[in-house]
Amino acid sequence: MFAKKMFTRGAALIALTTASFSTLAEEVNIYSFRQAFLIEPIMEKFTQETGIKVNVLFAKKGLIERVKREGELSPADLVLTTDISRLVKLTSQDLTQSVNSDILNKNIPSQYRDPENQWFALTTRVRNIYSSADRVGPVDVTYQDLATPAFKGKICTRSGKHPYNVSLVASVIAHEGEANAKVWLEGVKANLARKPQGNDRAQVKAVKDGLCDYALGNNYYLGKMLANPKQVAWAEAVSINFPNQKTTGSHVNVSGVVLAKYAPNKENAVKLMEFLSGDVAQQMYAEVNYEYPVKVSVQPSKLVASWGQFKADVLPLAEIAKNHEAAVKLLDEVKFDL
């Protein structure tokens, strides 16, 4: 059971098993792929302002299957995810319902929400290319460059099947078509310094250790490493680069939220969704997790801002997400992880 390994307890954020989830009017229940400690301060603030208690069930995997299995009896009001692929999966499996909210539509740019109002982004994160600060320095680089001969034996990355990389491949398909994306993937694979492995932080460590000169990684991991005394040296060993600034712009993924199809506390859930898109929660997201607020008027943290401004890919995420299955297929075809 999830209850054995994943819960934290606070004044407003209470992690419970399904059996003890409540459907009282003053509560709202969340299934979360986002770690509880990251969202706890935000949920506590929501409770302070509204009097609505937030119950959170956290797990790294299996929540979509759980919601589907529970069906109409599910206590879940909202599902929080860490990437677009899970948002689309929830929607495609008919586990969500639309939310027509002027507040959400005002706070969240159209490219970061579902055209049918089934899912909404809450933060954005860039798929950056890190380079060795000593051996390379800052570079003007594109994702396409990673497949060129100049990068032979110089790239580290986590599994191609990880949602962050699947989304990147899907964006390449959206811009260039499947045939060109396959050629690109083959080129990137040929340039890898080692078999895909580990997480994004492990790639930065590999750059520090001299195993490679370039690594794919989300922007917020740099902030997390700088905040971790044991990993500061890793972070200081790399430069953070925003790819494709002269072409399509950097690929951006999102964390997001959906309203569960059978939400027992729908009204409270929508209030929480609107709160999460507002100034207070958006600023807290920025400061706590080094992500970019989805609400344009809210500024990133000082650390994140110090990395510089960048141009993001303007292609709607809904268009990119249509290519996720094709992206997984290509990754299998080129045997990227083998």
Side-chain angles (χ1 to χ4, degrees):
M1 292 179 62
F2 291 140
K4 294 181 179 179
K5 59 183 179 181
M6 63 188 65
F7 300 131
T8 60
R9 180 176 294 274
L13 182 74
I14 303 178
L16 301 171
T17 64
T18 300
S20 57
F21 259 18
S22 173
T23 57
L24 297 177
E26 72 277 9
E27 298 192 342
V28 61
N29 302 321
I30 297 177
Y31 283 9
S32 177
F33 287 100
R34 302 218 64 173
Q35 294 183 32
F37 79 90
L38 293 175
I39 62 173
E40 180 174 5
I42 301 173
M43 301 306 167
E44 289 181 341
K45 187 68 175 177
F46 172 74
T47 298
Q48 290 173 8
E49 293 192 5
T50 65
I52 300 171
K53 187 171 67 172
V54 182
N55 306 311
V56 176
L57 176 69
F58 163 73
K60 290 184 177 180
K61 60 178 68 174
L63 291 180
I64 296 177
E65 294 75 14
R66 181 168 183 153
V67 173
K68 187 174 183 178
R69 184 174 64 250
E70 291 170 341
E72 295 183 27
L73 299 179
S74 177
D77 294 304
L78 300 177
V79 181
L80 294 178
T81 82
T82 56
D83 59 273
I84 181 63
S85 63
R86 291 188 177 103
L87 292 174
V88 172
K89 187 174 182 179
L90 282 157
T91 300
S92 65
Q93 295 194 18
D94 193 27
L95 299 175
T96 66
Q97 58 179 301
S98 64
V99 179
N100 297 310
S101 165
D102 291 339
I103 293 175
L104 291 174
N105 292 339
K106 178 182 178 181
N107 289 344
I108 304 173
S110 60
Q111 74 186 87
Y112 298 133
R113 47 186 163 86
D114 177 58
E116 304 299 325
N117 297 321
Q118 295 288 331
W119 57 260
F120 298 83
L122 296 175
T123 65
T124 63
R125 56 274 294 275
V126 180
R127 198 69 179 147
N128 291 100
I129 296 175
Y130 291 101
S131 57
S132 169
D134 294 333
R135 298 185 298 276
V136 179
V139 289
D140 181 9
V141 66
T142 68
Y143 300 113
Q144 288 71 21
D145 289 337
L146 299 181
T148 62
F151 287 74
K152 183 71 173 179
K154 296 182 178 180
I155 303 169
C156 287
T157 184
R158 73 194 308 164
S159 168
K161 291 292 192 66
H162 189 278
Y164 300 158
N165 281 338
V166 172
S167 184
L168 174 59
V169 176
S171 74
V172 176
I173 295 173
H175 284 291
E176 302 183 15
E178 285 190 46
N180 289 331
K182 183 176 182 179
V183 172
W184 172 73
L185 264 182
E186 291 172 336
V188 175
K189 180 186 177 183
N191 288 342
L192 294 179
R194 63 179 184 179
K195 179 180 176 180
Q197 58 191 268
N199 55 24
D200 279 6
R201 298 193 212 201
Q203 313 317 313
V204 173
K205 183 178 185 297
V207 172
K208 175 188 176 296
D209 293 341
L211 298 176
C212 45
D213 288 340
Y214 301 91
L216 281 168
N218 285 356
N219 68 279
Y220 55 85
Y221 286 110
L222 185 61
K224 289 177 175 293
M225 288 183 288
L226 288 170
N228 186 332
K230 295 181 179 180
Q231 298 176 357
V232 171
W234 306 358
E236 292 179 342
V238 298
S239 299
I240 185 170
N241 305 290
F242 294 89
N244 295 62
Q245 291 304 283
K246 295 178 181 177
T247 58
T248 58
S250 298
H251 172 60
V252 171
N253 207 324
V254 298
S255 71
V257 64
V258 300
L259 177 64
K261 184 175 182 178
Y262 301 108
N265 303 294
K266 180 177 178 178
E267 183 177 345
N268 290 342
V270 172
K271 288 180 181 178
L272 179 53
M273 293 175 73
E274 293 174 342
F275 176 82
L276 292 175
S277 74
D279 289 358
V280 173
Q282 288 287 296
Q283 194 63 61
M284 293 178 76
Y285 270 128
E287 297 294 339
V288 172
N289 207 36
Y290 312 105
E291 295 174 273
Y292 290 94
V294 74
K295 187 177 182 181
V296 177
S297 61
V298 179
Q299 298 301 306
S301 70
K302 289 182 179 180
L303 174 62
V304 173
S306 72
W307 301 335
Q309 296 183 335
F310 70 96
K311 180 176 73 172
D313 188 347
V314 298
L315 195 64
L317 280 181
E319 292 299 313
I320 292 175
K322 291 178 181 178
N323 298 291
H324 275 218
E325 288 187 13
V328 173
K329 179 183 176 183
L330 289 186
L331 287 158
D332 284 335
E333 288 181 0
V334 305
K335 297 179 172 60
F336 191 84
D337 286 349
L338 301 180

